[in-house]
Amino acid sequence: QVTLVESGGGLVQAGGSLRLSCVAAVRTFRAYTMGWFRQAPGKEREFVATISWSGGRSYYADSVKGRFTISRDNAKDTVYLQMNSLKPEDTAVYYCVAGPRGGTTASTYDHWGQGTQVTVSS
């Protein structure tokens, strides 16, 4: 069983940076792939990034490549999303996710956080 809690969202100007954090309360020995999705009002939920349980492999949506970096600290049960060169189109609620394997679709993840709002002004 896993409970996920996101933090670090807020208001930032275009071109600025934010770092999101997600703390996972892990209750089993199951190894999880971690990731981030986002959803803006009136739009579909979209994949952002994912990282393997060891941190050795990661994958990004084309829209954030070169700007966002996902990482994890297993000793702290925490996954991060460093967001640089933010654009107004990055504005969304960002969700931390966990699942038994990686993927770019929401159905591949078993556990979801409540989300944290990121707003980028122009």
Side-chain angles (χ1 to χ4, degrees), residues 65-78:
K65 284 182 179 178
R67 299 189 298 119
F68 291 10
T69 302
I70 188 171
S71 62
R72 64 191 295 167
D73 185 341
N74 289 340
K76 298 180 179 179
D77 293 330
T78 302

Side-chain angles (χ1 to χ4, degrees), residues 22 24 26 34 38 41-42 45 55 60 78 82 87-88 90 92 108:
C22 171
V26 182
M34 304 295 297
R38 66 186 183 186
R45 188 168 296 181
Y60 300 89
T78 302
Q82 178 66 47
K87 305 174 181 179
D90 295 318
T108 63

